[in-house]
């Protein structure tokens, strides 16, 4: 399972488009491909993702 699997089935909070979210891990951003809305991601330090 990759980090992008966590975005499956989610809607954009601005335009409500389903499955339009894209993860940019370099910039720590999640972006909607429909409306361009962006949100920062903040991973918990010291927690391992399995």
């Amino acid at each position: 399972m990759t980090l992008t699997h966590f975005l499956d089935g989610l809607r954009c909070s601005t335009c409500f488009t389903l499955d339009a979210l894209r993860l940019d891990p370099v910039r720590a951003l999640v972006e909607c491909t429909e409306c361009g809305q962006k949100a920062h991601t903040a991973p918990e330090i010291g927690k391992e993702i399995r």
Side-chain angles (χ1 to χ4, degrees):
M1 181 179 283
T2 64
L3 291 175
T4 55
H5 286 128
F6 291 109
L7 300 176
D8 288 344
L10 296 180
R11 292 185 183 272
C12 173
S13 63
T14 303
C15 67
F16 304 109
T17 304
L18 182 64
D19 292 333
L21 300 177
R22 177 180 73 169
L23 176 66
D24 184 354
V26 174
R27 294 186 181 104
L29 290 174
V30 174
E31 181 179 10
C32 177
T33 57
E34 289 294 317
C35 70
Q37 180 70 28
K38 295 178 182 157
H40 260 297
T41 59
E44 292 185 37
I45 307 272
K47 297 278 184 170
E48 183 178 324
I49 298 174
R50 293 182 187 249

